[in-house]
Amino acid sequence: MPSFREEVARTRPEESFADKFGKPRIGRHILFVFGGISSVFAYAAFYTNMETGTWTNRLMPATKSSWVSQSVTNADLRRAYRIELVKKWRGWFASITEEAQGIPKAIRPWIAAAYAAVLNPYGNSSEGKRLCWKICLFNAVVWLAWKVKRFEPKMNTRFMHNPLSGLTFTLLTSMFSHKSFLHLLANCLALEGFGSAAYLYLVKEQDKAAPAQLEVSASWHFLAFFVSAGLFSGLVSHVVATKFMYPRMVAKLSAPSTPVKANTWASAVAVSSAPAASVVKAAAPRPILPSLGASGAIYASVTLTALAFPDSQVSLIIPPSYPIDIQTGVGALVLLDIIGAARGWRFFDHWAHLGGAAFGVAYYCYGPELWKCMRRTFDSTVRTPITR
């Protein structure tokens, strides 16, 4: 006579293959991304207001304590900011020269020349380009960490986003991570060009704001845009992987194997002579791969630049480097990613590219107004220049 436990086990429905593995959740990832976007923009707006207020106080007469400025403009603030930056660089050069007094005279000119060779291009570049170089430098530091064997296990876990890992913070850390030097170089070159152009657009839009808002620098604004674009593009890739690719993979694994039909004599010979490994490989579902890189955030800068400066031209660094209209080139890139996503190409994360491109378009349409509202929300006393 069967026991009670055996009876329960017999009547309990058999658990399916898909139920054994479970279904990956996306709720925490959505909260992380949109909470992160809100946080970075709030932080950027707060510090932009604080920095702008500090510099406006420096330029206003000592007798004026009102938050309303009748003479200070954005151009005045940026000019004063750059003058202060040049003073700081000269101070660094003076301190280096002073420290070099103990070095042999034959070496001193080389130190001064090296400092000038680094500082002159940096100082003569736009603020947007300098900011993009700093982001590239941070990415290069993470790339160097990949080259240390001791760090590799932690880098695989914390600086690559695996959609099936359940981790949320890797949506942020993977955006600054590159394993290949060519991947890092390509993204840095694209960021230097398109990122600095997107920065210029943010500056121009701020100058056109009505009513006008003072802003000493768009650095915090661009950083918020860049990080938010990277988070959003990573979320798009994550949702596609977990809600579309993963169910297909599980369904293929749980489906009963069907013999390959041979309709012709030639196909029968091919099936019978094929190695077992190749048959298994053909039947195996495609794995869900982890992703990393700043391409999604850079794509947002690309589409934003294409919409903001439609008359510009772009060309490849490598031949053929024939210049083409930026909207034609960017449109071709987006079309290539659409085809790649539809056909399941795996060399690039096409869904992250498309997510970044969509974020850039959305930010072109609504971003400047949202930034203006964010600044007013976090500081009701933002200075507004008034024409006399």
Side-chain angles (χ1 to χ4, degrees):
M1 182 176 181
S3 64
F4 177 74
R5 185 176 296 178
E6 290 174 345
E7 284 291 333
V8 172
R10 189 183 303 170
T11 56
R12 183 186 300 167
E14 186 177 355
E15 194 175 16
S16 67
F17 181 81
D19 293 335
K20 290 179 182 178
F21 282 91
K23 296 178 181 179
R25 306 290 181 182
I26 63 172
R28 289 191 303 114
H29 296 81
I30 293 174
L31 288 175
F32 177 82
V33 167
F34 286 98
I37 290 174
S38 302
S39 299
V40 295
F41 269 102
Y43 186 89
F46 174 78
Y47 270 89
T48 298
N49 288 340
M50 188 174 67
E51 201 174 42
T52 301
T54 300
W55 278 95
T56 308
N57 285 334
R58 288 188 187 185
L59 294 182
M60 287 185 66
T63 55
K64 288 192 176 182
S65 58
S66 172
W67 269 101
V68 179
S69 169
Q70 298 184 356
S71 57
V72 179
T73 64
N74 283 334
D76 297 329
L77 290 173
R78 290 168 193 149
R79 191 181 304 112
Y81 181 80
R82 184 168 180 81
I83 291 172
E84 187 69 21
L85 198 61
V86 171
K87 287 181 181 178
K88 185 186 297 185
W89 292 337
R90 287 176 179 172
W92 290 347
F93 183 74
S95 63
I96 290 174
T97 305
E98 186 178 349
E99 291 290 334
Q101 294 301 318
I103 299 175
K105 290 184 178 180
I107 304 178
R108 291 180 202 171
W110 292 95
I111 296 175
Y115 184 82
V118 172
L119 195 59
N120 279 341
Y122 184 79
N124 293 331
S125 299
S126 65
E127 187 181 1
K129 189 162 287 191
R130 291 197 298 267
L131 179 59
C132 290
W133 286 345
K134 292 175 184 176
I135 297 174
C136 292
L137 181 62
F138 181 72
N139 288 342
V141 171
V142 177
W143 173 77
L144 288 174
W146 276 105
K147 303 307 168 186
V148 181
K149 288 289 183 183
R150 202 173 124 200
F151 297 160
E152 194 167 349
K154 290 187 182 290
M155 298 295 290
N156 280 320
T157 305
R158 299 176 183 177
F159 281 85
M160 290 179 71
H161 180 67
N162 189 334
L164 302 182
S165 68
L167 299 176
T168 56
F169 70 90
T170 51
L171 286 167
L172 175 64
T173 56
S174 63
M175 156 190 348
F176 301 100
S177 182
H178 302 78
K179 289 184 73 173
S180 164
F181 177 75
L182 288 178
H183 188 197
L184 172 68
L185 180 63
N187 276 351
C188 287
L189 290 174
L191 178 61
E192 181 194 29
F194 292 104
S196 56
Y199 183 99
L200 178 60
Y201 166 74
L202 298 181
V203 171
K204 288 187 172 183
E205 285 299 305
Q206 186 63 29
D207 290 341
K208 293 191 300 185
Q213 280 182 328
L214 291 179
E215 185 173 278
V216 66
S217 171
S219 295
W220 291 108
H221 187 185
F222 179 79
L223 283 173
F225 163 78
F226 183 83
V227 172
S228 299
L231 287 173
F232 181 80
S233 62
L235 179 64
V236 171
S237 176
H238 177 87
V239 170
V240 171
T242 53
K243 293 303 178 184
F244 295 94
M245 296 174 64
Y246 178 78
R248 290 180 184 177
M249 183 183 73
V250 172
K252 196 166 186 179
L253 287 171
S254 58
S257 58
T258 55
V260 180
K261 294 182 179 180
N263 298 325
T264 63
W265 178 84
S267 61
V269 172
V271 170
S272 62
S273 60
S278 64
V279 175
V280 172
K281 184 177 179 181
R286 290 183 175 182
I288 296 176
L289 302 175
S291 59
L292 75 171
S295 302
I298 294 170
Y299 249 78
S301 298
V302 170
T303 53
L304 181 67
T305 302
L307 293 171
F309 306 102
D311 298 328
S312 301
Q313 291 187 322
V314 293
S315 60
L316 295 174
I317 298 176
I318 58 175
S321 54
Y322 183 77
I324 59 174
D325 292 338
I326 187 171
Q327 293 194 344
T328 302
V330 173
L333 281 177
V334 172
L335 179 61
L336 183 65
D337 280 308
I338 292 174
I339 295 172
R343 295 186 62 85
W345 295 346
R346 309 298 293 274
F347 189 73
F348 297 110
D349 191 346
H350 297 284
W351 285 108
H353 290 181
L354 293 173
F359 188 91
V361 172
Y363 205 82
Y364 174 79
C365 297
Y366 308 107
E369 278 299 317
L370 289 175
W371 173 249
K372 178 180 167 183
C373 293
M374 185 72 74
R375 285 194 62 199
R376 290 189 180 279
T377 299
F378 283 90
D379 195 343
S380 60
T381 55
V382 174
R383 294 175 180 271
T384 56
I386 301 175
T387 56
R388 293 179 178 178

